[in-house]
Amino acid sequence: MDVKVFQTFLEVAKEKHFGRASENLYITQAAVSARIKQLEEYFDTRLFTRHRNNIQLTSAGQRLVGYAEVMVSTLKQATFDLSLESNKALQLTIGGTPNIWDAYLQNCLSIVTDSLTGYGFVAESLGREQLNRKLLERTLDLAFSFDPFKVEEFKSHQIAELTLVLVSTEQRNLDEAFKDKYVYVDWGTQFAFEHADRHPNIPAPYLRTSTGRIALDFILEKGGCAYLPSSLVEPFLDSGQLYQVEGSEVWSRPLFISYRKNSTSIEAILQVEKLVNTIEPTTSYLMQQAGENTD
């Protein structure tokens, strides 16, 4: 079956409209209908319910979405890999959660790309479940996360520690800090458990976010406090835009590297693994400039 049929199915599922799907795919509406019919005949089931312009996925269609996404993304990855191969280039795909990119991987990527010659790189910011899935699908070579992946085919181990600091836009003590615009940042499953033990009676957070960059931008603009990596906030502490909350303790979070034991890119992975063990978490070049270029 032509993968274009699955691409068309995903576009219709997203738009819930045959006309818009045809415009997005630059094909006729009749071609869209024909491809959906071909898919329904192949699986011998209806994938959409149609009532005038109201198009909805059936239960079978909903189940097919995940498989279609895997097929389309895998083909795209294979096409890209083979195009690199034809140009005599090697590729390494590195993924991490948004927070790890903020606090560690941005600088790590700079060093890795300088050190490995003959490689092209793909950098992806993904949720933990997506990292796990892409490792299993072999569309990701290396994953960085706060919690290890407990999968037999993977090797996971700690490669660094991230130091979190409770910072505020005003000079405050620990009792005062949580009362005004506390931003809770998701630093992994273990962090959530430890946070509940460390701060059992604080008010509900003013904002919750999965990335330290959002938290940092928010409190710099609106005021408030958050647990953020020392590597991320150091320029702002130095410039006086942020203050460490009086009486707060630093918090260490382990960073884990994961990859398939039988990966076809194992030689490059082991080179990266050896390299990252020597890299200290530090803020990105952009954040250093932002902290330094203040009035």
Side-chain angles (χ1 to χ4, degrees), residues 6-278:
F6 292 99
Q7 291 175 320
T8 303
F9 165 73
L10 290 174
E11 196 64 34
V12 175
K14 181 183 74 172
E15 294 291 346
K16 295 182 173 58
H17 193 280
F18 277 53
R20 288 194 294 271
S22 68
E23 291 174 1
N24 294 345
L25 294 169
Y26 300 100
I27 59 176
T28 65
Q29 189 167 330
V32 171
S33 298
R35 289 178 181 181
I36 297 303
K37 182 179 179 181
Q38 180 184 356
L39 205 56
E40 289 180 328
E41 289 177 350
Y42 181 83
F43 288 109
D44 192 24
T45 186
R46 294 187 66 183
L47 301 173
F48 295 97
T49 58
R50 306 168 180 82
H51 299 288
R52 296 184 181 178
N53 288 328
N54 184 18
I55 298 175
Q56 298 293 330
L57 285 164
T58 63
S59 59
Q62 291 173 347
R63 291 197 296 273
L64 182 60
V65 167
Y67 295 107
E69 288 176 340
V70 169
M71 292 185 68
V72 172
S73 65
T74 301
L75 180 66
K76 287 181 178 179
Q77 186 69 37
T79 302
F80 185 64
D81 285 348
L82 292 176
S83 70
L84 288 174
E85 179 64 24
S86 66
N87 292 321
K88 306 302 181 183
L90 299 172
Q91 177 195 336
L92 200 64
T93 304
I94 300 173
T97 58
N99 267 335
I100 291 181
W101 276 109
D102 291 344
Y104 178 71
L105 271 184
Q106 193 67 48
N107 179 64
C108 179
L109 180 66
S110 176
I111 296 173
V112 168
T113 54
D114 284 343
S115 302
L116 267 69
T117 58
Y119 278 85
F121 296 87
V122 176
E124 297 196 26
S125 179
L126 303 165
R128 188 175 185 278
E129 293 305 315
Q130 290 175 298
L131 292 173
N132 183 71
R133 177 166 59 84
K134 281 181 169 286
L135 281 174
L136 287 169
E137 294 170 358
R138 302 175 186 269
T139 56
L140 188 69
D141 295 310
L142 277 165
F144 293 82
S145 61
F146 286 113
D147 302 298
F149 295 104
K150 298 179 180 179
V151 179
E152 179 62 29
E153 298 97 314
F154 299 170
K155 181 176 181 181
S156 295
H157 65 95
Q158 184 178 336
I159 44 90
E161 279 198 349
L162 185 69
T163 300
L164 300 178
V165 182
L166 183 60
V167 295
S168 173
T169 49
E170 297 180 16
Q171 292 181 319
R172 291 172 171 157
N173 61 38
L174 195 56
D175 292 331
E176 298 169 336
F178 292 105
K179 296 178 181 178
D180 182 29
K181 296 187 180 69
Y182 172 54
V183 180
Y184 177 89
V185 186
D186 180 9
W187 296 109
T189 304
Q190 191 60 36
F191 173 83
F193 293 138
E194 293 177 12
H195 187 280
D197 289 337
R198 186 179 287 200
H199 306 297
N201 300 313
I202 63 172
Y206 187 79
L207 173 70
R208 290 177 178 267
T209 178
S210 62
T211 166
R213 286 287 293 276
I214 291 177
L216 177 60
D217 289 345
F218 182 86
I219 66 174
L220 286 173
E221 180 182 358
K222 301 292 186 181
C225 69
Y227 274 105
L228 294 171
S230 58
S231 59
L232 193 65
V233 300
E234 185 177 354
F236 301 93
L237 292 170
D238 292 341
S239 67
Q241 289 180 281
L242 293 176
Y243 304 91
Q244 184 171 346
V245 172
E246 183 182 345
S248 64
E249 298 179 5
V250 297
W251 205 331
S252 293
R253 302 300 306 136
L255 297 178
F256 294 89
I257 186 173
S258 301
Y259 52 87
R260 295 185 65 92
K261 296 175 183 176
N262 62 349
S263 172
T264 55
S265 301
I266 193 66
E267 290 185 10
I269 289 171
L270 293 177
Q271 289 183 59
V272 173
E273 181 181 29
K274 182 178 179 180
L275 187 62
V276 296
N277 275 309
T278 67

